Amino acid sequence: MAATSVTKPSSSRNWRWLTIQPSVSTSIRRSWPTTFISNASHCDLLVIVARTDPKLGAKGISLLVAETTGLEGFCRGRVLQKIGQHGQDTRELSFTDMRIPVENLLGGEEGKGFAQLMVQLPRERLILGVAGVAMAEAAVLEAIRYAKERRAFGTTILDFQNTKFVLAECKTDVLVGKTFMDHCIMSYDNGTLDAATASMAKMWGTDKQVEIVDRCLQVFAGYGYMMEYPIAQMYAAARVQKIYGGTNEIMKELVGRSL
């Protein structure tokens, strides 16, 4: 299982944080913690984002591949207690005088790391947007099912105009989102998905996910706050979607640069 070590606690997703000393055997000389690492508990293959030349900025970033089994200086830190997505393996890692063979430089050439990371970002952001719309649709279906069953004042709550209007708006937003995501997927398949459009997909899809899940939870009233109900789990899991993969504020900045 693989993982990628990117985020330093003090600098978020800043890919200029780590300085290493290239030699016959590449060595990370200092002890650095990294955090928010997915698959960190189980990974036996780790891609480390490292700055191999402090003078070159983005062109001084390289990706190093570490095989973690028995690797001296590699340490798994604490498991992070998250609001939601409790089944997702997320924890800290740290490196202390950890040596990595030169041949483990991904791509075989120093300074290619930033470009290697950038080329995958539109795909990652599209995945998050698609997941956001899919979860929003699941929330709408849950709310419709519940509204047909739950009775109040002698009738189902779906018979109330407000419930119908809320769910009609949510269902419409989901269809709009699915259409947009289909467009982005086709663009990705034919190689024309640009960074700005991928950022739009991530931003819009995850914003709508949080909004729609919140509105659907309201249909459940007090039961929506109980973790035994799927809608409550959706609510807890949704919030981070606007944060990882690049915050939605950064997505707006990237879209703004394309104007």
Side-chain angles (χ1 to χ4, degrees), residues 82-102:
K82 306 188 296 294
I83 292 175
Q85 298 192 16
H86 297 147
Q88 169 63 36
D89 170 20
T90 313
R91 71 187 302 164
E92 295 175 338
L93 299 175
S94 65
F95 319 122
T96 305
D97 295 328
M98 191 173 81
R99 302 185 71 83
I100 303 170
V102 171

Side-chain angles (χ1 to χ4, degrees), residues 86-197:
H86 297 147
Q88 169 63 36
D89 170 20
T90 313
R91 71 187 302 164
E92 295 175 338
L93 299 175
S94 65
F95 319 122
T96 305
D97 295 328
M98 191 173 81
R99 302 185 71 83
I100 303 170
V102 171
E103 56 267 25
N104 286 25
L105 179 65
L106 193 63
E109 185 179 348
E110 286 187 22
K112 300 297 183 182
F114 192 80
Q116 290 167 329
L117 291 165
M118 288 294 103
V119 76
Q120 296 298 329
L121 281 181
R123 180 176 181 270
E124 178 191 25
R125 289 165 180 168
L126 175 57
I127 289 171
L128 293 174
V130 169
V133 173
M135 190 58 69
E137 182 175 37
V140 173
L141 295 175
E142 279 289 310
I144 291 171
R145 180 192 60 76
Y146 182 81
K148 288 179 178 179
E149 297 174 355
R150 180 68 171 170
R151 299 185 66 83
F153 305 105
T155 186
T156 67
I157 61 174
L158 189 60
D159 289 332
F160 297 130
Q161 186 183 64
N162 181 70
T163 306
K164 282 188 282 197
F165 281 11
V166 166
L167 294 177
E169 290 171 351
C170 290
K171 186 175 181 179
T172 302
D173 280 342
V174 166
L175 180 57
V176 171
K178 290 169 70 174
T179 304
F180 178 37
M181 297 306 156
D182 283 347
H183 164 76
C184 292
I185 290 168
M186 287 189 289
S187 297
Y188 177 79
D189 283 343
N190 62 32
T192 61
L193 180 66
D194 57 41
T197 306

Side-chain angles (χ1 to χ4, degrees), residues 45-60:
L45 194 69
L46 180 66
V47 179
I48 301 171
V49 182
R51 190 175 182 186
T52 49
D53 191 328
K55 300 176 182 178
L56 295 180
K59 294 182 179 179

